[in-house]
Amino acid sequence: MRSPALYLILVLALGACTQGGEKLDGQPMPSRTAPAQQGGVSQEPTGSGPLDIAGVAFLPPEDWSDLGATAMRKASFNFGPVEGDADPAEVTAFYFGQEQGGDIESNIARWIGQMDPPEGKEIQDVVRRSKVTTQTGLDIHFVEINGTHNRSMGGGPMTGGRTKAYPGWRMVAAIIEGPQGNIFFKLVGPETTAGQMEEGFRGMLTTAVKL
């Protein structure tokens, strides 16, 4: 859902969460002006607007391109690629219903299983986990991994199927414990492009508001 009222709620909440340019929970606030890059040339993003998923309101950065929702995805966006990367990074959001979609640990384990570590390293060496409680009262569980992303080529986000290996990629996934159940987010893409998209990704989640 996107509406002027929802936008006003988010603007007021953002003003309450940040004063004097401070960062929320140690994370930078999302950039809302820089255009995405492709081969070093600015690409005009399509923008989005306020987003409501399962009773939580988000404000996606304006430099993301809105890819819309599908039967499974509640929202999806891409960014870039920046100069030197061949592919854009993508953020997807899923919500399956109250007490649906699996628990936090099983989802994190599944995401970790989609990545192979760089040569010479073990997966435990490249996985970082953290938990953030935002000033708006939401608990967010993050997992981040660099390596080879084994991207599903069919079968859906919760099942197996054919995969294609993308070395040199980064994944940052998150679970928000929302008032209507868990909301699942995943950012994947080439390391440089994903790293640039990550700033807005973390900012969008850590400034989300319960409706």
Side-chain angles (χ1 to χ4, degrees):
M1 182 185 77
R2 297 173 171 86
S3 70
L6 181 57
Y7 182 83
L8 179 59
I9 290 171
L10 280 163
V11 168
L12 292 174
L14 287 171
C17 291
T18 59
Q19 297 180 7
E22 295 179 354
K23 297 176 182 178
L24 176 64
D25 296 312
Q27 300 296 338
M29 294 302 297
S31 165
R32 301 192 55 78
T33 56
Q37 301 285 318
Q38 182 163 359
V41 178
S42 296
Q43 301 293 310
E44 188 67 28
T46 60
S48 178
L51 176 68
D52 171 10
I53 303 176
V56 180
F58 305 88
L59 193 60
E62 290 178 351
D63 57 352
W64 292 4
S65 292
D66 188 348
L67 304 180
T70 68
M72 294 291 292
R73 299 179 179 186
K74 295 302 180 183
S76 57
F77 307 89
N78 72 7
F79 171 86
V82 301
E83 186 173 7
D85 283 340
D87 298 296
E90 184 177 74
V91 165
T92 50
F94 297 88
Y95 173 71
F96 303 99
Q98 192 90 37
E99 299 183 357
Q100 301 296 313
D103 61 51
I104 290 166
E105 291 303 317
S106 63
N107 276 280
I108 288 176
R110 178 174 55 82
W111 284 325
I112 293 172
Q114 295 172 358
M115 299 290 290
D116 292 331
E119 186 175 355
K121 294 189 177 181
E122 300 294 329
I123 191 67
Q124 62 266 24
D125 298 330
V126 295
V127 173
R128 293 184 59 193
R129 292 184 56 174
S130 59
K131 180 181 176 182
V132 170
T133 300
T134 73
Q135 293 184 21
T136 57
L138 292 166
D139 287 337
I140 311 176
H141 303 262
F142 287 100
V143 58
E144 52 189 282
I145 315 164
N146 286 354
T148 296
H149 177 49
N150 298 300
R151 189 166 193 171
S152 173
M153 304 304 290
M158 307 299 289
T159 63
R162 295 186 302 113
T163 61
K164 182 177 178 180
Y166 289 85
W169 274 38
R170 178 168 176 79
M171 174 192 292
V172 183
I175 301 172
I176 291 183
E177 297 184 54
Q180 298 176 22
N182 291 337
I183 309 170
F184 305 90
F185 291 84
K186 185 168 71 172
L187 184 164
V188 291
E191 286 185 22
T192 302
T193 301
Q196 291 196 21
M197 193 179 193
E198 183 178 349
E199 180 177 333
F201 177 65
R202 289 182 180 271
M204 177 184 74
L205 299 189
T206 57
T207 56
V209 179
K210 287 190 256 187
L211 298 176

